[in-house]
Amino acid sequence: MLSKDLKRIEDLQVRKNVSLLPLTSFRIGGPAHLFLVPWTLKALEQTVSYLSNRSISYKVLGQGSNLLINDKGVKLVMTLTALNRIHSLQHGRTAHGHPFKTVSVEAGCRLKSLLSWSIRNSLSGLENFSGIPASVGGAISMNAGTNKCSMAEAIDAVQFTGPDGSCWFRRDQLQFDYRSFRLPDKTLISAAEIQFGKSSPDQISRRVRKVMYKRRTTQPIGEPSAGCIFRNPQGDSAGKLIDQCGLKGLRIGDAEVSKKHANFIVNRGKASAIQVMNLLKIIRERVKKETAVELVPEVSVWGMET
Ligand SMILES: Cc1cc2nc3c(=O)[nH]c(=O)nc-3n(C[C@H](O)[C@H](O)[C@H](O)COP(=O)(O)OP(=O)(O)OC[C@H]3O[C@@H](n4cnc5c(N)ncnc54)[C@H](O)[C@@H]3O)c2cc1C
């Protein structure tokens, strides 16, 4: 019935039993019983309106880089990957006389694609985000960043889509926090505006290479993971605390605390969500016992209690 109704929405692709495992960087998770791909903003608006008006809950999938999905899967997933256009809006000068360009980007666009586009167009501003695997929507929703940057500083405006359609909120109306963002009720992120500065492609590429070098030498890039698994406690580092407790290399099944970076859990083959959850529990207990710090997961967990 639900899938029949949804199939009536023009430009909405409705698929059944789609495996989510290859759509996550962790390579873990069961299927989505229904998987929705809107190809236009109108299709997205109609779908969100249909689901919200019937109080049908659904999950939004970005690039799947910060997710731990239940092995049994989830009922209803929508992805915005087909909404990925980028266009320049306007250019001008800041109060200090520096040239800038404002760019509008749909939420399904990958940060990596946006960064490549900005290099080709001599636009700087996203270099410190190099190597963060994310869609624009996912990056905003997690307020992704490093100790040098966060989406909160990069974003000028966000477009939300909810039961009553889409509307833009300016920067001062948005509520970012450390690795979190307050979404207005029953909405998702459908687009954003970002202000870029001007720089030469060579200079931007050099900065990107520097950031990527640091990542490659400190993180288990290339091994399936969901990035940092715990938030950093204020003024401290979750990785350092886990390392101090001697937990690097601790393994349950194929889920292992990375030997390279203790705040990463890597999937060494066929790790299950349960194995990762059990590992999280042990890490939290040990760190609490030995340092009195309560670690809070950064990874978004679907279909299980943390
Ligand atoms: C190797 C590696 C390195 C990483 N390094 C970093 C890092 O340096 N800094 C950092 O902050 N993170 C890092 N991460 C984690 C991850 O890249 C970020 O959290 C990223 O923002 C997730 O974006 P995503 O599109 O993959 O979102 P997903 O993982 O798909 O989703 C994450 C959450 O965002 C929600 N969401 C996604 N799209 C939307 C939308 N359009 N509207 C509303 N909600 C949405 C989802 O429902 C989910 O709750 C890393 C991950 C990996 C695997």
Side-chain angles (χ1 to χ4, degrees):
M1 179 66 185
L2 175 61
S3 97
K4 226 173 166 185
D5 276 359
L6 289 168
K7 276 182 181 160
R8 290 202 191 101
I9 298 177
E10 199 180 343
D11 294 323
L12 177 71
Q13 189 184 9
V14 182
R15 294 166 61 197
K16 283 188 179 166
N17 283 324
V18 171
S19 171
L20 295 173
L21 184 141
L23 304 180
T24 69
S25 56
F26 229 153
R27 301 286 181 264
I28 293 174
H33 302 304
L34 268 189
F35 189 79
L36 310 179
V37 189
W39 284 83
T40 60
L41 180 63
K42 192 173 164 204
L44 173 68
E45 288 173 343
Q46 289 176 348
T47 309
V48 170
S49 172
Y50 175 92
L51 296 172
S52 300
N53 291 336
R54 285 159 187 79
S55 302
I56 300 171
S57 62
Y58 60 94
K59 300 285 188 192
V60 185
L61 176 70
Q63 202 180 316
S65 310
N66 195 49
L67 287 180
L68 177 60
I69 301 176
N70 182 355
D71 301 313
K72 291 193 182 117
V74 283
K75 261 192 183 153
L76 188 54
V77 173
M78 175 146 64
T79 183
L80 270 55
T81 43
L83 300 175
N84 56 15
R85 286 174 306 173
I86 307 169
H87 50 264
S88 307
L89 288 178
Q90 63 193 55
H91 45 99
R93 283 189 182 271
T94 63
H96 302 290
H98 302 301
F100 72 82
K101 190 166 225 172
T102 306
V103 167
S104 172
V105 58
E106 289 181 321
C109 179
R110 292 182 169 214
L111 270 192
K112 192 178 176 186
S113 312
L114 182 60
L115 184 61
S116 306
W117 180 91
S118 69
I119 296 174
R120 286 197 303 279
N121 287 278
S122 308
L123 296 173
S124 71
L126 285 187
E127 296 88 306
N128 284 327
F129 294 88
S130 306
I132 301 183
S135 62
V136 167
I140 296 170
S141 109
M142 297 302 302
N143 190 14
T146 65
N147 53 3
K148 292 216 170 78
C149 64
S150 74
M151 289 309 280
E153 297 135 30
I155 292 297
D156 253 17
V158 173
Q159 179 181 258
F160 299 102
T161 297
D164 302 321
S166 302
C167 69
W168 283 91
F169 280 49
R170 308 300 319 169
R171 173 70 192 83
D172 55 4
Q173 299 169 288
L174 305 173
Q175 287 185 40
F176 286 98
D177 214 330
Y178 171 67
R179 297 293 169 269
S180 73
F181 175 67
R182 182 122 175 250
L183 272 173
D185 209 21
K186 292 186 176 172
T187 67
L188 50 73
I189 297 156
S190 47
E193 278 180 24
I194 301 177
Q195 205 180 83
F196 287 88
K198 287 289 219 176
S199 197
S200 77
D202 272 358
Q203 280 174 331
I204 306 172
S205 301
R206 204 173 311 131
R207 287 196 286 270
V208 167
R209 281 200 300 277
K210 256 176 141 173
V211 175
M212 288 307 294
Y213 175 78
K214 189 171 171 215
R215 270 188 189 275
R216 273 196 296 273
T217 48
T218 56
Q219 296 181 358
I221 307 273
E223 287 186 84
S225 80
C228 286
I229 207 89
F230 293 106
R231 291 157 185 248
N232 283 325
Q234 201 159 15
D236 214 332
S237 148
K240 195 187 81 195
L241 295 172
I242 299 167
D243 196 7
Q244 272 171 10
C245 295
L247 296 175
K248 269 184 175 173
L250 181 70
R251 187 166 173 164
I252 297 183
D254 275 344
E256 183 182 282
V257 179
S258 166
K259 292 176 186 131
K260 198 164 185 180
H261 190 312
N263 199 16
F264 278 61
I265 290 181
V266 291
N267 177 359
R268 306 280 287 168
K270 291 193 170 158
S272 65
I274 295 292
Q275 288 169 348
V276 175
M277 291 298 280
N278 289 339
L279 201 48
L280 282 182
K281 192 162 172 265
I282 293 175
I283 297 169
R284 290 175 88 179
E285 283 169 2
R286 281 283 292 276
V287 170
K288 176 87 195 290
K289 195 169 161 217
E290 294 189 24
T291 69
V293 175
E294 193 115 31
L295 290 178
V296 176
E298 181 169 313
V299 65
S300 303
V301 179
W302 286 3
M304 293 172 294
E305 292 292 320
T306 51

